[in-house]
Every structure is written in structure tokens, then in C-alpha cells.
Amino acid sequence: MNPPKQKYFLPFQREWLQDQSPLKIMQKSRQIGASFVDAHDSVLKAGSRRARLDVWVSSRDETQAKLYLEDCARWAEFYQIGAEDLGRKLISHPNDLGAYVLQFANGRRIYSLSSNPNALAGKRGHVKLDEFALHQDQRMLYRVAKPLTQWGGTLSIISTHRGSQTIFNDLIRDITERGNPMGWSLHTVPLQKAVEQGLVEKINDKTGGTESREAFLSRLHSQCIDEEQWLQEYCCTPADESAAFITFDMLTACEEPELKLLNIQELENCLTIHHDKSDSASFRGAHAPPRVATGALAGGTFDVLHNRESVTQIENQKSKTKNPSHPLPSAPIPNQSEVNFFPSPNSILFLGLDVARKHDLCVFDVGEKIGDVVWDRLRIEMRGCRFAEIEAELYRLLRMPQIKRACIDATGLGAQLAERAAERFEWKVEPITFTAPMKEELAFGLRADFEERRLRIVCDNQLVADLRGIKKEVTESGNIRFLGESGDSHCDRFWAKALRQHAARYRVHFRAIVG
């Protein structure tokens, strides 16, 4: 196969492609085309006539694994190599682990799979670990992956950073600070380097845009929630974990990449319609409501369902808030028995509500408890809404029989809301006053749930910013207080989730009445 013309790749991509080191690693910015060029490398390794080994690619989740293989298929078509997309194949029967497979005419294959280390055990070939820092068990994944290369294979790691305490960052520090004892070939590509080499022009060619390099960098910087996100996601600078109350390791262990939030109408549908959770595709087709947009509502805003004809009208209205609840995913859901994607009429739900009206967010957080684990189901964020509008959303949720307990912030503006809800729904509602001891109980309770993996959360930058924004401070008198702000809130999402987890620890006590 002849190498592609230079117009297809930027200099940093060509350097990666031409590097044939047995161990190579890239710390990079987001969305610069690293996986795109690495897919090309995989096709060269598996598709050539003299290829001896398969290629095994471990991505963070099943969606990314599928996208990677699609890039491989495009490069195979570019070279006019005989290649057949075999779809998703079972590669480990006892564990029901599968991979997306591209098979070449020479019999070699590219296997693209999600991050379960067990899927690589007993295999051999070239190994690619994509977004390595985001994998839940990096140490085990590396231990299992490295022996695959024993018979002439290569190991490639590509990732952005996810905190300073990751195995990925340890490897980078071994190279830069400890003399590189393993012999890695290091590639460092922050966004600024990619832009200097022509990334913006590539994007403009694809999109028809005319954005300048300076405007592009300024826009991406301004769209970051905080400086930590900018430095870590785009500048190859891992976030400092020393002052974090909840670390990236805790978050990564509890994130479920395939999990999506529902909006309130979808939640109601799930709770009233009997369906088979395993038949997710038919469920979406039959019951998924229209898509969601942000619309105005009497002085404040939150998400409303609408038909396609009303999109323009709604989008022209002034919006003050955002709701992170997305429609049900359109992509096929992977066959993973552990993942529980939809609640049902038999679900047990819990609600946490952090109350605010003007400056901070008012956040509703609903989770479903399955065994001893609480799964994210819905989050509503309201800013600048009237008391009656907040109360209406709260009552709509509390009327659901599946919501067994709700903890409501009863401090300041929330006092009246919590009192009225407790009068109407009685035992279902627990008003929580944010005293210093209570905030300590809530915060440490949430951290313990993260440490013990008693919750599963969606992948959401705003949520991560709030969860990491909380800092613990010990006063001169020895008391603990919690401080924190993220870009668009005072960590309101943190406190709503802490209230939800507190509600989920509630135990019902039954008394027998003998008469």
C-alpha cells in the first residue's frame, strides 16, 4: 500500500503514523484527529499482504469502539483493500464479551471493543488503547494488554488527561521525569500545536467555515466551564487532585458512558408502560417522545416537549436555563447485562432538590436504586423561574408512586417549598436544612457512595465541574466547611445529588398493629 498524500494528514498525524516504535504514547487535546490517523495505522498493520498479526483496539465504550471501526472501514475502502465488516461478534463466551470486527482478504482482523480487560485476555497482536485515562481500571487493562505484543506486536496509547493520579499520567511522568525506563516514544499534541499545523483550516474545509485560528482558540476557551477544563482537555495539563474532595478516579469508576438522562415526559412514559428492558430498540421506536428544546415559561425557562413545527417559535424565545436531560439515545444500545438503561413501573426512585430562584440553579436530581446502586435517570435545571413553576415540577415528580423518598433543601427560599410539599405528600418528603453538620453529612455521604461505587452517573462536563468544584476547608476553630463554585453554578448539582443519595439511604420501618 502506498502512503496517502500529505494533504490527508497534519504534521503531528504523520509523525504518529511514521513512528514504528514498539511502545508509543500520545498525550493530546480533544478532537484533533488522533483516532482518525490511528485507524489508518491499524489498517496498514492488519491489511497489508505480509501482515502476521491482528489489531486489538480498546476504546472507552461501545459507541467509540464502533466509530473507530467505521474509520478503519473508510481507510480500507480508500486503499481498495478487500475488507468485510463482520459487525459485532462474540469473542468471549463465558463473559458475553463482544467486539466490532473488520476482516481483510489476507485473513487478518481489526477487533474494536470496549474497555473490559477480560476481552483481551489470551489474545495476541498489535494493541491500541484509545482514551486510556478515561478507562475505569487502567492498571488491569495495561497488565492484560501488554503481553499481547510478545510475538512482535506493538502497543499504542492515545489519551487526553483525566487528573494527575491516573496510570496514564504516571506513564507520562516516567518518560519526562524519571528517564523513560520503559522506552516509550512520546508524542505531545496540545490544541495550540494542532492549530499551528493547520487544524482550523482542515475544519473549515470540512464545514465550509471561515473561522480564524485566533477566533477558534478563543471560542473553545470561552466555552470551557472553568480553567481546569481548558488546561486538561485541550492543553495536556492534568488537573491537580490534591485539593479535590471528589477525585477523577472516583468519578471515572462511577461513570457509565452509555447511560443517558431522560426528560420528565420520557420518565413518565417509562414508569407507566410495561416493556422489556432488553428490547430497547423497539421501546424507543414505539414510545420515545419528540425531541427536547429549551423554551420560555413565564419569567423562567426549562425544557418543554414540542413538535417539529414549533421549533423555530421556541428557539426564538429567550432562554435562561439549560436542562441536561436528553432524548433517548438513537444509537443501538450494547448488549451489556450490567447496564440498566430504562426505569420501569416497578422501579424505586429517589429525588434530591437543591432550591434557588435568581442567581443559582434550582436542580432536581432523580435516581433509580437497583440493588445498592443508584443510577442517574433525570436532572432538571431551572434558573430565574417563579416559585409556582418550581413547585409545579416538584409536585409532578412527587405524584409518581415510584418516587419513594425526596430530600428537599429547606434553607432560605426552600423552606416554604419543602414545608408545603411535606404537608401534601407527608412521609415521602424530608426537608433538609443546610446546617454545617448536615452539609458535612451530605458531602461525606456522597463521597462514600463514589468511593464504594454505589451510584452510576452520566458523562457530563457540567456535572463533573460541580462535583469537583467542592473543596473542604478546616477553619481555625477546627470546624469543617465546604466551599466551591463551577462556571455556571455554586455546585448546585453536587448538593442535589448529595440530597438524592441521602434520600436513597432512607429505610422504611414497619410497625405491626395488633388489635
Side-chain angles (χ1 to χ4, degrees), residues 258-270:
E258 305 296 337
L259 184 62
K260 305 295 180 185
L261 292 174
L262 307 175
N263 60 51
I264 193 166
Q265 183 62 59
E266 289 169 340
L267 180 61
E268 289 176 334
N269 287 351
C270 288

Side-chain angles (χ1 to χ4, degrees), residues 4 23 92 122 124 134 162 188 315 344 351 365 389 425 449 464 471 474 476 503:
L23 297 174
S92 177
R124 68 178 179 183
L134 275 66
R162 190 72 187 273
T188 299
E315 290 181 345
S344 72
L351 166 66
D365 193 317
E389 296 160 6
F425 294 93
D449 286 344
V464 167
K471 304 290 188 292
V474 181
E476 293 182 358

Side-chain angles (χ1 to χ4, degrees), residues 64-339:
Q64 291 303 117
K66 187 175 183 180
L67 291 173
Y68 187 97
L69 201 73
E70 289 175 358
D71 284 340
C72 293
R74 293 189 187 99
W75 282 119
E77 183 179 0
F78 173 85
Y79 282 114
Q80 297 183 345
I81 305 173
E84 181 182 2
D85 186 347
L86 301 182
R88 191 177 187 275
K89 293 291 185 181
L90 198 65
I91 60 173
S92 177
H93 290 275
N95 299 311
D96 193 27
L97 299 174
Y100 293 98
V101 182
L102 187 68
Q103 179 169 299
F104 296 93
N106 61 8
R108 300 271 69 86
R109 293 180 173 186
I110 297 175
Y111 295 87
S112 187
L113 54 151
S114 59
S115 62
N116 192 324
N118 293 328
L120 294 175
K123 312 301 189 298
R124 68 178 179 183
H126 304 286
V127 181
K128 311 290 190 75
L129 305 181
D130 192 27
E131 289 298 355
F132 181 58
L134 275 66
H135 288 248
Q136 290 187 355
D137 194 343
Q138 297 164 48
R139 187 178 301 276
M140 180 58 68
L141 180 59
Y142 183 87
R143 285 176 176 172
V144 173
K146 181 60 182 72
L148 271 70
T149 66
Q150 188 74 23
W151 291 88
T154 59
L155 174 61
S156 304
I157 296 178
I158 301 175
S159 190
T160 49
H161 280 281
R162 190 72 187 273
S164 59
Q165 304 301 312
T166 62
I167 300 300
F168 177 70
N169 192 49
D170 285 346
L171 292 174
I172 299 297
R173 293 188 64 191
D174 277 347
I175 298 167
T176 59
E177 301 175 16
R178 305 179 186 116
N180 193 13
M182 293 185 182
W184 289 94
S185 175
L186 173 63
H187 299 246
T188 299
V189 192
L191 182 63
Q192 295 86 345
K193 179 177 179 178
V195 168
E196 289 171 2
Q197 295 185 1
L199 177 66
V200 176
E201 289 75 16
K202 284 281 188 182
I203 294 174
N204 286 340
D205 287 343
K206 285 286 186 181
T207 63
T210 58
E211 195 169 25
S212 69
R213 295 181 176 184
E214 294 76 13
F216 175 81
L217 287 170
S218 178
R219 176 172 60 82
L220 263 61
H221 195 174
S222 67
Q223 291 173 348
C224 289
I225 294 171
D226 50 33
E227 193 65 14
E228 181 183 273
Q229 182 187 3
W230 168 251
L231 292 173
Q232 179 161 263
E233 303 296 328
Y234 296 105
C235 304
C236 301
T237 303
D240 180 15
E241 298 282 68
S242 60
F245 184 68
I246 294 180
T247 68
F248 275 118
D249 279 351
M250 297 180 199
L251 295 175
T252 301
C254 293
E255 282 182 334
E256 180 52 63
E258 305 296 337
L259 184 62
K260 305 295 180 185
L261 292 174
L262 307 175
N263 60 51
I264 193 166
Q265 183 62 59
E266 289 169 340
L267 180 61
E268 289 176 334
N269 287 351
C270 288
L271 299 181
T272 56
I273 297 171
H274 292 271
H275 64 274
D276 181 359
K277 287 187 181 184
S278 64
D279 190 13
S280 56
S282 62
F283 172 76
R284 284 195 303 273
H287 306 298
R291 71 183 187 90
V292 177
T294 302
L297 180 63
T301 62
F302 57 90
D303 281 4
V304 294
L305 291 170
H306 61 88
N307 294 318
R308 186 175 299 275
E309 291 75 16
S310 63
V311 171
T312 303
Q313 177 184 354
I314 291 177
E315 290 181 345
N316 287 336
Q317 297 174 349
K318 184 177 180 181
S319 171
K320 299 180 185 176
T321 63
K322 295 174 286 185
N323 188 324
S325 299
H326 302 295
L328 300 177
S330 57
I333 291 177
N335 180 22
Q336 300 179 31
S337 58
E338 179 190 358
V339 179

